[in-house]
Amino acid sequence: MLKLQNIGKKFDQKVVLDNINLDIQKGEIVSLLGPSGSGKTTLLNIMLGLTKMDQGKIIFDGKDLTHVPMKKRGFNIVFQDYALFPNLNAYENIIYGLKNKRGKISEKEVNEYIAFLGLIPHLTKRISELSGGQKQRVALARTLVTKPEVLLLDEPLSALDGVIKESIKTRIQSIAKEFNLTTIIVTHDPEEALTMSDKIVIIKDGNVAQFGTPQDIMERPKNEFIQEFILKQLHIKRKNIYHLFGEQYA
Ligand code: ADP
Ligand code: MG
Protein backbone atom coordinates (compact mmCIF):
# COMPACT_ATOMS: atom_id res chain seq x y z
CA MET A 1 0.00 0.00 0.00
CA LEU A 2 1.12 3.54 -0.80
CA LYS A 3 0.36 6.13 1.88
CA LEU A 4 0.75 9.86 1.48
CA GLN A 5 0.56 11.76 4.76
CA ASN A 6 0.19 15.51 5.18
CA ILE A 7 2.08 16.36 2.00
CA GLY A 8 2.76 20.07 1.61
CA LYS A 9 4.69 22.04 -0.99
CA LYS A 10 5.26 25.73 -1.68
CA PHE A 11 6.88 27.35 -4.69
CA ASP A 12 8.10 30.90 -4.01
CA GLN A 13 5.87 31.32 -0.93
CA LYS A 14 2.84 30.13 -2.90
CA VAL A 15 1.14 27.06 -1.44
CA VAL A 16 0.73 24.50 -4.22
CA LEU A 17 -0.01 21.46 -2.08
CA ASP A 18 -1.43 22.17 1.35
CA ASN A 19 -2.21 18.92 3.10
CA ILE A 20 -2.58 15.85 0.93
CA ASN A 21 -3.55 12.55 2.54
CA LEU A 22 -4.15 9.42 0.48
CA ASP A 23 -4.13 5.63 0.78
CA ILE A 24 -3.63 3.78 -2.47
CA GLN A 25 -3.95 -0.01 -2.64
CA LYS A 26 -1.72 -2.39 -4.61
CA GLY A 27 -2.89 -2.81 -8.21
CA GLU A 28 -5.27 0.14 -8.16
CA ILE A 29 -5.52 2.64 -11.00
CA VAL A 30 -5.89 6.04 -9.36
CA SER A 31 -6.38 9.30 -11.24
CA LEU A 32 -5.25 12.65 -9.86
CA LEU A 33 -7.82 14.99 -11.34
CA GLY A 34 -7.93 18.76 -11.13
CA PRO A 35 -7.81 21.90 -13.22
CA SER A 36 -4.59 23.12 -14.78
CA GLY A 37 -2.20 24.49 -12.15
CA SER A 38 -3.79 22.58 -9.27
CA GLY A 39 -0.55 20.81 -8.35
CA LYS A 40 -1.10 17.37 -9.94
CA THR A 41 2.29 17.14 -11.65
CA THR A 42 3.98 18.45 -8.52
CA LEU A 43 2.36 15.68 -6.46
CA LEU A 44 3.36 13.02 -9.02
CA ASN A 45 6.96 14.28 -9.04
CA ILE A 46 6.99 14.26 -5.23
CA MET A 47 5.91 10.59 -5.27
CA LEU A 48 8.65 9.83 -7.80
CA GLY A 49 11.21 11.60 -5.62
CA LEU A 50 12.09 14.16 -8.29
CA THR A 51 10.59 17.10 -6.39
CA LYS A 52 11.22 17.60 -2.67
CA MET A 53 8.21 18.13 -0.46
CA ASP A 54 8.28 20.71 2.34
CA GLN A 55 6.33 18.57 4.76
CA GLY A 56 4.76 15.15 4.95
CA LYS A 57 5.60 11.50 4.53
CA ILE A 58 5.46 8.82 1.87
CA ILE A 59 5.11 5.27 3.14
CA PHE A 60 5.21 2.30 0.77
CA ASP A 61 4.50 -1.22 2.03
CA GLY A 62 5.26 -0.05 5.54
CA LYS A 63 8.61 1.49 4.58
CA ASP A 64 9.19 5.23 4.99
CA LEU A 65 10.37 6.52 1.61
CA THR A 66 10.29 10.19 2.54
CA HIS A 67 14.05 10.55 2.44
CA VAL A 68 14.79 7.73 0.00
CA PRO A 69 16.22 9.14 -3.25
CA MET A 70 14.37 8.73 -6.54
CA LYS A 71 16.57 5.94 -7.91
CA LYS A 72 16.13 3.78 -4.82
CA ARG A 73 12.36 4.25 -4.52
CA GLY A 74 11.57 1.83 -7.32
CA PHE A 75 8.82 4.00 -8.82
CA ASN A 76 8.94 5.15 -12.41
CA ILE A 77 7.22 7.74 -14.54
CA VAL A 78 6.16 8.54 -18.09
CA PHE A 79 6.50 12.30 -18.42
CA GLN A 80 3.85 14.35 -20.19
CA ASP A 81 6.18 15.07 -23.14
CA TYR A 82 7.51 11.45 -23.08
CA ALA A 83 11.13 12.73 -22.91
CA LEU A 84 12.32 10.18 -25.49
CA PHE A 85 15.87 10.42 -26.83
CA PRO A 86 15.68 11.61 -30.46
CA ASN A 87 19.13 10.28 -31.32
CA LEU A 88 18.23 6.70 -30.34
CA ASN A 89 15.79 4.40 -32.13
CA ALA A 90 12.67 3.01 -30.47
CA TYR A 91 14.36 -0.15 -29.18
CA GLU A 92 17.38 1.73 -27.85
CA ASN A 93 15.02 4.07 -26.02
CA ILE A 94 13.15 1.15 -24.49
CA ILE A 95 16.25 -0.52 -23.07
CA TYR A 96 18.01 2.73 -22.12
CA GLY A 97 17.07 2.52 -18.45
CA LEU A 98 18.40 -1.03 -18.16
CA LYS A 99 22.02 -0.12 -18.81
CA ASN A 100 23.06 -0.34 -15.20
CA LYS A 101 20.35 -2.73 -14.13
CA ARG A 102 20.88 -5.93 -16.10
CA GLY A 103 19.49 -8.87 -14.21
CA LYS A 104 16.31 -7.21 -13.02
CA ILE A 105 14.55 -8.20 -16.22
CA SER A 106 15.37 -10.89 -18.80
CA GLU A 107 15.54 -10.23 -22.52
CA LYS A 108 12.53 -12.51 -22.91
CA GLU A 109 10.51 -10.31 -20.55
CA VAL A 110 11.59 -7.14 -22.36
CA ASN A 111 10.36 -8.70 -25.59
CA GLU A 112 7.07 -9.60 -23.94
CA TYR A 113 6.45 -5.96 -22.99
CA ILE A 114 7.38 -4.89 -26.52
CA ALA A 115 4.94 -7.39 -28.02
CA PHE A 116 2.25 -6.50 -25.47
CA LEU A 117 2.46 -2.87 -26.58
CA GLY A 118 2.43 -3.78 -30.28
CA LEU A 119 5.87 -2.29 -30.87
CA ILE A 120 7.60 -5.09 -32.79
CA PRO A 121 7.17 -3.42 -36.21
CA HIS A 122 8.54 -0.09 -34.93
CA LEU A 123 11.71 -1.04 -33.07
CA THR A 124 14.27 0.25 -35.55
CA LYS A 125 12.42 3.48 -36.29
CA ARG A 126 13.74 6.84 -35.19
CA ILE A 127 11.58 8.75 -32.72
CA SER A 128 10.78 11.38 -35.37
CA GLU A 129 9.27 8.64 -37.54
CA LEU A 130 6.78 7.55 -34.88
CA SER A 131 3.18 8.74 -34.50
CA GLY A 132 1.96 10.21 -31.19
CA GLY A 133 0.45 6.91 -30.07
CA GLN A 134 3.60 4.99 -31.00
CA LYS A 135 5.74 7.47 -29.04
CA GLN A 136 3.50 7.02 -26.02
CA ARG A 137 3.83 3.22 -26.30
CA VAL A 138 7.63 3.46 -26.55
CA ALA A 139 7.65 5.72 -23.48
CA LEU A 140 5.42 3.25 -21.62
CA ALA A 141 7.63 0.30 -22.60
CA ARG A 142 10.78 2.16 -21.53
CA THR A 143 9.25 2.73 -18.12
CA LEU A 144 7.70 -0.74 -17.73
CA VAL A 145 10.92 -2.65 -18.44
CA THR A 146 12.40 -1.08 -15.30
CA LYS A 147 9.69 -3.03 -13.45
CA PRO A 148 8.46 -0.16 -11.27
CA GLU A 149 6.66 -0.86 -8.01
CA VAL A 150 4.38 2.05 -8.87
CA LEU A 151 3.75 3.40 -12.38
CA LEU A 152 3.27 7.18 -12.61
CA LEU A 153 1.75 8.68 -15.77
CA ASP A 154 1.52 12.42 -16.36
CA GLU A 155 -1.34 13.27 -18.75
CA PRO A 156 -0.76 10.11 -20.82
CA LEU A 157 -3.64 10.80 -23.20
CA SER A 158 -3.47 14.57 -23.58
CA ALA A 159 -1.44 14.57 -26.82
CA LEU A 160 -3.60 11.89 -28.44
CA ASP A 161 -7.05 11.86 -29.92
CA GLY A 162 -9.81 9.65 -31.21
CA VAL A 163 -9.17 5.97 -31.73
CA ILE A 164 -5.52 6.23 -30.64
CA LYS A 165 -6.54 7.77 -27.33
CA GLU A 166 -9.02 4.94 -26.70
CA SER A 167 -6.45 2.30 -27.59
CA ILE A 168 -3.77 3.74 -25.27
CA LYS A 169 -6.36 4.02 -22.51
CA THR A 170 -7.23 0.32 -22.89
CA ARG A 171 -3.55 -0.65 -22.96
CA ILE A 172 -2.84 1.24 -19.74
CA GLN A 173 -5.78 -0.47 -18.07
CA SER A 174 -4.75 -3.93 -19.23
CA ILE A 175 -1.12 -3.38 -18.14
CA ALA A 176 -2.24 -2.35 -14.66
CA LYS A 177 -4.56 -5.33 -14.33
CA GLU A 178 -2.31 -7.93 -16.03
CA PHE A 179 0.72 -7.03 -13.89
CA ASN A 180 -1.24 -5.98 -10.77
CA LEU A 181 0.67 -2.72 -11.04
CA THR A 182 -0.33 0.26 -8.92
CA THR A 183 -0.83 3.04 -11.48
CA ILE A 184 -1.28 6.73 -10.76
CA ILE A 185 -2.46 8.91 -13.62
CA VAL A 186 -2.51 12.69 -13.74
CA THR A 187 -5.29 14.15 -15.86
CA HIS A 188 -7.27 17.37 -16.14
CA ASP A 189 -10.03 15.59 -18.07
CA PRO A 190 -12.95 14.27 -15.97
CA GLU A 191 -14.02 11.91 -18.75
CA GLU A 192 -10.60 10.24 -18.81
CA ALA A 193 -10.54 9.91 -15.04
CA LEU A 194 -14.06 8.53 -14.87
CA THR A 195 -13.52 5.94 -17.59
CA MET A 196 -10.08 4.62 -16.76
CA SER A 197 -9.62 4.54 -13.00
CA ASP A 198 -10.66 2.47 -10.01
CA LYS A 199 -10.50 5.61 -7.86
CA ILE A 200 -10.27 9.33 -8.47
CA VAL A 201 -8.58 11.98 -6.34
CA ILE A 202 -9.94 15.43 -7.01
CA ILE A 203 -7.42 18.11 -6.08
CA LYS A 204 -8.46 21.63 -5.30
CA ASP A 205 -6.49 24.40 -3.59
CA GLY A 206 -3.77 21.96 -2.61
CA ASN A 207 -6.11 19.60 -0.84
CA VAL A 208 -8.04 16.44 -1.64
CA ALA A 209 -11.53 17.68 -2.42
CA GLN A 210 -12.87 14.15 -2.88
CA PHE A 211 -11.41 10.64 -3.08
CA GLY A 212 -13.65 7.88 -4.32
CA THR A 213 -14.71 5.56 -7.08
CA PRO A 214 -16.00 7.06 -10.34
CA GLN A 215 -19.46 6.02 -9.23
CA ASP A 216 -19.10 7.83 -5.86
CA ILE A 217 -18.04 10.98 -7.62
CA MET A 218 -20.77 10.88 -10.26
CA GLU A 219 -23.53 10.04 -7.80
CA ARG A 220 -22.36 11.85 -4.69
CA PRO A 221 -20.17 14.84 -5.61
CA LYS A 222 -19.06 16.30 -2.28
CA ASN A 223 -19.48 19.95 -3.16
CA GLU A 224 -20.41 22.45 -5.80
CA PHE A 225 -16.92 22.74 -7.23
CA ILE A 226 -16.87 19.02 -7.99
CA GLN A 227 -20.37 19.10 -9.37
CA GLU A 228 -19.43 21.96 -11.68
CA PHE A 229 -16.03 20.70 -12.70
CA ILE A 230 -17.05 17.14 -13.44
CA LEU A 231 -20.61 17.25 -14.51
CA LYS A 232 -20.50 20.44 -16.53
CA GLN A 233 -17.57 19.27 -18.61
CA LEU A 234 -19.20 15.93 -19.22
CA HIS A 235 -22.39 17.67 -20.22
CA ILE A 236 -20.53 19.87 -22.72
CA LYS A 237 -18.87 16.78 -24.17
CA ARG A 238 -22.15 14.96 -24.51
CA LYS A 239 -23.59 17.94 -26.33
CA ASN A 240 -20.65 17.86 -28.78
CA ILE A 241 -21.14 14.17 -29.33
CA TYR A 242 -24.83 14.74 -29.88
CA HIS A 243 -24.13 17.28 -32.62
CA LEU A 244 -21.81 14.88 -34.36
CA PHE A 245 -23.53 11.57 -34.03
CA GLY A 246 -27.18 12.20 -33.32
CA GLU A 247 -29.76 11.74 -30.70
CA GLN A 248 -28.78 8.38 -29.21
CA TYR A 249 -25.66 10.06 -27.74
CA ALA A 250 -27.50 12.94 -26.09
P1 ADP B 1 -0.82 20.82 -12.74
O1 ADP B 1 0.03 19.63 -13.10
O2 ADP B 1 -2.00 20.46 -11.90
O3 ADP B 1 -1.23 21.61 -13.94
P2 ADP B 1 1.62 21.82 -11.50
O4 ADP B 1 1.91 20.84 -10.41
O5 ADP B 1 2.44 21.69 -12.73
O6 ADP B 1 0.06 21.79 -11.83
O7 ADP B 1 1.82 23.28 -10.95
C1 ADP B 1 1.13 23.77 -9.83
C2 ADP B 1 1.57 25.19 -9.54
O8 ADP B 1 2.93 25.23 -9.14
C3 ADP B 1 1.48 26.13 -10.74
O9 ADP B 1 1.06 27.38 -10.29
C4 ADP B 1 2.89 26.18 -11.25
O10 ADP B 1 3.15 27.39 -11.91
C5 ADP B 1 3.70 26.04 -9.98
N1 ADP B 1 4.99 25.37 -10.20
C6 ADP B 1 5.17 24.10 -10.63
N2 ADP B 1 6.46 23.77 -10.71
C7 ADP B 1 7.16 24.87 -10.32
C8 ADP B 1 8.54 25.18 -10.17
N3 ADP B 1 9.49 24.28 -10.44
N4 ADP B 1 8.87 26.43 -9.75
C9 ADP B 1 7.92 27.34 -9.48
N5 ADP B 1 6.60 27.12 -9.57
C10 ADP B 1 6.20 25.91 -9.99
MG1 MG C 1 0.62 18.92 -14.98
Side-chain angles (χ1 to χ4, degrees):
M1 187 170 75
L2 176 63
K3 253 180 162 355
L4 306 187
Q5 294 176 338
N6 305 107
I7 305 253
K9 176 73 183 172
K10 279 185 200 166
F11 283 118
D12 316 317
Q13 311 300 319
K14 192 183 136 218
V15 176
V16 174
L17 299 172
D18 179 23
N19 184 13
I20 301 282
N21 290 285
L22 273 181
D23 282 0
I24 295 171
Q25 307 298 327
K26 166 100 180 137
E28 265 181 352
I29 302 178
V30 175
S31 285
L32 305 180
L33 174 66
S36 178
S38 57
K40 306 179 297 291
T41 295
T42 302
L43 185 57
L44 206 68
N45 288 341
I46 285 174
M47 289 187 218
L48 179 67
L50 182 67
T51 299
K52 268 201 171 162
M53 56 193 143
D54 300 334
Q55 61 165 59
K57 270 189 176 182
I58 298 180
I59 314 280
F60 182 66
D61 285 349
K63 207 175 136 204
D64 187 346
L65 296 186
T66 313
H67 301 290
V68 172
M70 178 168 69
K71 285 204 169 132
K72 294 199 171 153
R73 262 181 212 195
F75 298 177
N76 208 345
I77 192 165
V78 176
F79 291 106
Q80 185 167 6
D81 63 0
Y82 313 146
L84 294 168
F85 304 111
N87 54 326
L88 302 179
N89 72 24
Y91 183 72
E92 290 161 344
N93 265 279
I94 292 167
I95 60 165
Y96 186 85
L98 300 177
K99 278 195 174 146
N100 305 314
K101 282 195 210 161
R102 288 282 174 203
K104 198 174 175 194
I105 185 165
S106 67
E107 204 169 318
K108 182 167 165 277
E109 275 180 293
V110 171
N111 292 333
E112 275 168 13
Y113 281 111
I114 288 170
F116 193 84
L117 286 162
L119 287 169
I120 294 170
H122 308 297
L123 291 176
T124 57
K125 289 186 185 163
R126 276 178 299 160
I127 299 308
S128 59
E129 295 172 311
L130 301 174
S131 70
Q134 289 161 358
K135 280 183 199 157
Q136 178 58 286
R137 282 185 278 148
V138 170
L140 266 171
R142 183 179 64 176
T143 298
L144 287 170
V145 297
T146 67
K147 292 218 170 165
E149 300 278 355
V150 175
L151 174 65
L152 307 168
L153 305 172
D154 197 349
E155 305 270 7
L157 306 177
S158 66
L160 311 172
D161 44 33
V163 183
I164 305 296
K165 190 175 197 151
E166 283 309 308
S167 115
I168 297 286
K169 194 197 267 185
T170 312
R171 280 181 204 273
I172 291 170
Q173 284 176 310
S174 43
I175 287 163
K177 295 307 159 193
E178 169 101 8
F179 301 106
N180 193 28
L181 178 59
T182 310
T183 302
I184 301 173
I185 304 172
V186 159
T187 176
H188 65 275
D189 183 338
E191 193 193 12
E192 279 175 25
L194 288 163
T195 53
M196 72 188 302
S197 17
D198 300 311
K199 292 201 184 134
I200 298 174
V201 185
I202 298 178
I203 300 185
K204 166 138 201 303
D205 298 334
N207 292 284
V208 175
Q210 187 163 358
F211 180 40
T213 63
Q215 199 179 358
D216 285 337
I217 286 168
M218 286 294 279
E219 291 176 6
R220 290 171 292 277
K222 255 191 173 172
N223 56 43
E224 239 167 68
F225 164 76
I226 293 169
Q227 178 113 13
E228 284 269 304
F229 179 60
I230 303 270
L231 303 182
K232 229 180 179 175
Q233 287 203 43
L234 285 179
H235 182 63
I236 290 166
K237 275 210 171 136
R238 265 193 231 121
K239 275 214 305 224
N240 291 340
I241 290 170
Y242 169 69
H243 283 306
L244 291 173
F245 299 109
E247 214 158 337
Q248 70 271 30
Y249 291 91

